[in-house]
Amino acid sequence: MSERIESVLQEKRSFSSPEAFKAKARLNDKMAYNRLYRQSLDEPDTFWGNVANELHWFEPWDKVREWHEPFVKWFIGGKTNLAYNCLDRHLNSWRRNKAAIIWEGEPGDQRVLTYQDLHREVSKFANVLKGKDIGQGDRVAIYMPMIPEAAIAMLACARIGATHSVVFGGFSAAALADRINDATAKAVITADGGFRRGSVFPLKPAVDEALEQCETVESVFVVKRGNNDVAMQAGRDHWYHELMDEVPTDCPAEPLDAEHPLFILYTSGSTGKPKGVLHSTGGYQTYTYLTSKYIFDMRDEDVFWCTADVGWITGHSYIVYGPLLNGATQVMYEGVPNYPEPDRFWQLVEKYRVSTFYTAPTAIRAFIKWGDAWPKCCDLSSLRLLGTVGEPINPEAWIWYQQVIGNGNCPIVDTWWQTETGGIMITTLPGVHEAKPGSAGLPFFGVEPAIVDVDGNEQAANDGGYLVIKRPWPSMLRTVYGDDDRYRAQYWSEIPHVYFAGDGARRDEDGYFWIMGRVDDVVNVSGHRLGTMEVESALVSHEAVAEAAVVGRPDEIKGQAIVAFVTLEEGRLGNEDLRKALLQHVSKEIGAIAKPEEIRFADALPKTRSGKIMRRLLRNIAAGEEASGDISTLEDKSVIEQLMQSG
Ligand code: WT7
């Protein structure tokens, strides 16, 4: 927190929404935004009460908000059910037979589930879970490929009040075991395997390996997808399709308390093990419903496609919950963007006439690299709105996205938010605001951000500082699962009385926020947050490693790439074999996403006299820059020379 945040980006362009978009947009003038924004801050109870009332409540709430810093409650006393709001609510309307999910597998197989179909599958699977004695007060881990059953599993949990914890299918058995144990999950929902880059990646074997270290799991439900061979342990493991044949289709949604814990989602921090970010029901549903409606201008005629995986918050809020709350039709795709060819996404846009496309800057940079010919061969004329999320987008990539994918016809929403915020917090509203390439934009309704210095003083326009949020919003995380102290320390202590997001940013003279990246020891690789500490722990757990320091270096495609500086135990040699072994070790401990791009061996790491690793220096070295700033506290200056030559 001590380093000063300098703001360097000077981007002056701005773009209004195309007239054709504006003419039809739900909101299309700044006055309307200003009025609603003011109301959301001045009369939050009225504002959020009205929004929440667009959804179904079995019993009304007594009070909209209760704030005892750092703990918030929304819609106190109200009873609702998120699965009911996503599904049952639409069954009494013409949407009953509307496509909810248009799914395509990587091999090209397709399924369409209408709202009625999805309701039936969710109800049945909820009965399956109940049949194994799973319900309110239980946690269920979900470790799945991107198939409709991933959404069905989440919604089935929500329907009966079991708290889900989705673990990204790319995480290793060890990472899965940690998460299962932290949440003391009672069941795991998984698949034999899924398709990725033309072949099957196994999931069930990783579950088996994880469960050797987990004592709380009583049942494992296995969806057949990859057709790969898997072992089934009698009594514990069940085939999904077999159990689904045995249950009734009717399962009433349980009226749940508004503050009922809906899900836990683990995310990396700068220290210690991943944090179980806990979200609850009533506020989360209200906020994801409203953000989807306004930011994506979600309409019945739209075909929405968010390319995230359900293993991340984007998949929770803008694949499963937000779009279904709005009765939208969406595309869900299992595989990678460049299989069999780099035009797969554009083929999908053309085939399903996708109108709203939401992806990450890292994907956009990969598309640019693959060349314009791929998108240009497809008919993308159905697109009317584009979005990005996960990291700052460089203005050149923004312009490419607008020109080559949007053909100049689509507004772009650059959405800033976090696992912890549950929904989009800062963005421009399409049809209302001009977009400035590289800036996320303005606060959404109910959000009151500020840029402050270490002491909490607000900064002048364009001065860099810490991004904080000055009041709680409905989908704010409620705590770190099982660790209120860590919750308080992480989010409510760095700067008093505000939510500390962990990002550096500035606000320009028009009130637009420019996010400059993390201020803690977190790297953002392909839009996914990884704690450097986690990767360091993984490295140090290898017998050859004495000490490790991990930093991010700017990477053209991934945003940041991981560079590890490693010192070895006496007598070990830093050669190519060891390098490979360490990469494999990290994959096994965390998952392939955490594999360092580069490992540099050294005799020592640069430290201050008090023994703290000087990460700033390592970041310079990793980026191939001259060591900048003050190195007077460096214990042994020759270390730098050696590290610079090790690259
Ligand atoms: C961190 C949160 C929210 C879903 C994806 C990531 C960075 C996110 C933007 C954006 C600049 C962004 C921030 C944030 N970030 N969106 N539009 N512009 N930076 O979720 O893993 O919880 O990571 O991602 O640094 O703190 P996450």
Side-chain angles (χ1 to χ4, degrees):
M1 288 258 315
S2 61
E3 286 162 46
R4 257 195 68 205
I5 301 162
E6 304 274 356
S7 153
V8 283
L9 192 63
Q10 285 299 334
E11 170 63 46
K12 294 280 180 228
R13 287 170 286 192
S14 82
F15 296 87
S16 343
S17 294
E19 284 307 322
F21 186 96
K22 252 188 173 156
K24 289 201 215 137
R26 190 168 260 119
L27 274 186
N28 52 18
D29 73 288
K30 282 183 198 157
M31 301 257 287
Y33 164 83
N34 289 340
R35 188 169 36 76
L36 281 167
Y37 182 65
R38 265 320 339 147
Q39 193 206 16
S40 74
L41 295 191
D42 296 344
E43 302 161 57
D45 291 7
T46 312
F47 181 89
W48 289 114
N50 287 343
V51 178
N53 264 328
E54 291 180 31
L55 301 172
H56 178 81
W57 294 78
F58 295 98
E59 279 175 38
W61 55 88
D62 310 314
K63 212 173 155 194
V64 174
R65 282 171 315 145
E66 219 173 75
W67 175 228
H68 299 291
E69 189 191 311
F71 299 106
V72 74
K73 289 183 179 160
W74 284 83
F75 308 111
I76 296 109
K79 297 247 187 290
T80 188
N81 186 290
L82 186 42
Y84 185 99
N85 276 313
C86 286
L87 302 170
D88 306 52
R89 205 164 55 90
H90 305 305
L91 296 191
N92 301 323
S93 76
W94 68 271
R95 287 184 184 136
R96 170 179 279 270
N97 286 312
K98 182 183 173 180
I101 296 177
I102 300 173
W103 174 83
E104 188 162 308
E106 199 188 67
D109 44 339
Q110 296 165 29
R111 279 164 72 188
V112 177
L113 288 114
T114 64
Y115 274 90
Q116 182 163 238
D117 294 333
L118 194 56
H119 176 264
R120 184 188 60 240
E121 297 306 303
V122 168
S123 300
K124 282 170 67 179
F125 192 55
N127 279 330
V128 166
L129 293 174
K130 280 207 251 180
K132 299 292 171 204
D133 202 26
I134 294 159
Q136 280 191 55
D138 294 324
R139 265 87 43 224
V140 175
I142 298 178
Y143 187 63
M144 292 276 254
M146 279 292 288
I147 54 177
E149 284 75 11
I152 292 167
M154 292 163 74
L155 288 157
C157 288
R159 194 165 188 84
I160 60 174
T163 301
H164 60 69
S165 163
V166 183
V167 179
F168 173 56
F171 278 124
S172 67
L176 175 63
D178 282 349
R179 287 158 176 76
I180 289 173
N181 286 334
D182 187 78
T184 58
K186 190 172 180 179
V188 180
I189 306 167
T190 188
D192 47 1
F195 289 87
R196 197 181 156 78
R197 228 176 285 287
S199 49
V200 171
F201 70 95
L203 287 166
K204 176 63 165 59
V207 173
D208 293 335
E209 196 187 326
L211 293 192
E212 284 170 22
Q213 302 163 48
C214 303
E215 281 171 6
T216 55
V217 174
E218 294 167 13
S219 315
V220 178
F221 306 95
V222 188
V223 178
K224 209 174 185 57
R225 167 64 188 152
N227 281 313
N228 46 317
D229 272 342
V230 295
M232 297 291 277
Q233 185 176 310
R236 185 192 75 181
D237 302 351
H238 314 278
W239 284 108
Y240 177 95
H241 60 273
E242 288 176 3
L243 296 183
M244 287 290 270
D245 272 350
E246 297 165 2
V247 289
T249 53
D250 185 48
C251 175
E254 280 188 41
L256 299 169
D257 196 87
E259 280 301 325
H260 188 78
L262 174 67
F263 68 84
I264 302 167
L265 185 59
Y266 287 85
T267 189
S268 300
S270 46
T271 52
K273 58 185 170 77
K275 302 177 286 234
V277 168
L278 182 73
H279 282 286
S280 67
T281 306
Y284 177 82
Q285 74 179 9
T286 304
Y287 198 81
T288 50
Y289 166 71
L290 194 74
T291 48
S292 303
K293 181 170 160 178
Y294 282 116
I295 299 164
F296 299 119
D297 192 40
M298 223 172 248
R299 303 311 185 98
D300 274 315
E301 16 347 331
D302 276 322
V303 178
F304 179 78
W305 182 20
C306 165
T307 68
D309 189 285
V310 288
W312 310 108
I313 190 68
T314 311
H316 285 58
S317 301
Y318 299 110
I319 294 180
V320 180
Y321 294 120
L324 296 177
L325 282 167
N326 281 278
T329 291
Q330 70 177 313
V331 168
M332 183 176 180
Y333 170 60
E334 180 185 33
V336 298
N338 54 348
Y339 182 86
E341 299 287 350
D343 63 350
R344 185 62 183 274
F345 276 15
W346 319 124
Q347 295 285 351
L348 287 163
V349 168
E350 174 177 309
K351 185 161 165 194
Y352 299 113
R353 307 298 296 157
V354 171
S355 58
T356 309
F357 180 75
Y358 188 35
T359 197
T362 181
I364 297 169
R365 290 191 296 264
F367 300 142
I368 295 174
K369 194 176 126 205
W370 296 334
D372 293 10
W374 297 106
K376 289 218 160 118
C377 283
C378 295
D379 175 5
L380 306 182
S381 61
S382 56
L383 290 171
R384 69 177 196 101
L385 176 61
L386 303 172
T388 80
V389 60
E391 56 177 310
I393 181 166
N394 41 314
E396 289 342 296
W398 195 102
I399 299 286
W400 182 90
Y401 195 31
Q402 188 209 40
Q403 290 304 318
V404 180
I405 303 306
N407 195 25
N409 298 322
C410 307
I412 296 180
V413 289
D414 176 352
T415 61
W416 178 88
W417 57 298
Q418 309 178 294
T419 305
E420 293 87 342
T421 70
I424 297 166
M425 302 289 278
I426 297 178
T427 180
T428 48
L429 286 184
V432 178
H433 299 123
E434 288 96 55
K436 303 187 186 189
S439 163
L442 298 156
F444 189 71
F445 303 131
V447 176
E448 196 186 359
I451 304 293
V452 300
D453 67 12
V454 199
D455 302 316
N457 303 312
E458 291 210 22
Q459 300 293 88
N462 288 315
D463 281 353
Y466 302 109
L467 176 61
V468 299
I469 315 288
K470 290 166 76 176
R471 60 164 84 195
W473 60 101
S475 64
M476 184 174 96
L477 80 161
R478 295 304 192 254
T479 189
V480 171
Y481 186 72
D483 198 345
D484 287 350
D485 290 341
R486 191 165 177 203
Y487 167 66
R488 193 190 307 265
Q490 180 78 40
Y491 304 106
W492 297 94
S493 303
E494 295 274 2
I495 296 161
H497 310 307
V498 291
Y499 168 85
F500 180 74
D503 280 338
R506 70 180 164 98
R507 177 168 20 193
D508 72 16
E509 56 286 348
D510 301 322
Y512 280 56
F513 285 84
W514 299 76
I515 312 296
M516 300 180 304
R518 302 290 305 186
V519 293
D520 51 11
D521 290 321
V522 164
V523 280
N524 188 328
V525 181
S526 303
H528 302 312
R529 223 201 295 179
L530 291 166
T532 50
M533 159 90 184
E534 272 171 88
V535 186
E536 285 164 8
S537 313
L539 285 165
V540 172
S541 71
H542 188 279
E543 31 108 25
V545 176
E547 205 173 24
V550 163
V551 297
R553 123 160 99 64
D555 182 272
E556 214 179 297
I557 303 288
K558 296 179 180 173
Q560 283 188 299
I562 296 176
V563 178
F565 295 87
V566 169
T567 64
L568 298 174
E569 293 290 350
E570 276 299 318
R572 300 298 299 240
L573 216 57
N575 55 22
E576 206 39 47
D577 284 348
L578 183 59
R579 211 181 291 266
K580 282 202 190 111
L582 291 181
L583 291 179
Q584 234 202 328
H585 184 71
V586 173
S587 288
K588 190 161 183 297
E589 290 296 307
I590 308 177
I593 39 167
K595 264 203 298 206
E597 195 76 10
E598 209 184 295
I599 295 181
R600 295 192 183 195
F601 296 110
D603 294 337
L605 298 177
K607 291 189 184 160
T608 61
R609 287 193 186 105
S610 63
K612 267 182 85 177
I613 294 175
M614 299 181 79
R615 285 162 197 288
R616 173 174 49 87
L617 252 175
L618 292 177
R619 276 193 285 267
N620 290 149
I621 294 169
E625 298 162 358
E626 277 297 307
S628 68
D630 184 12
I631 55 166
S632 58
T633 54
L634 184 65
E635 171 72 354
D636 174 4
K637 297 199 170 54
S638 69
V639 167
I640 302 185
E641 206 46 46
Q642 193 199 14
L643 284 171
M644 284 172 63
Q645 269 144 33
S646 67

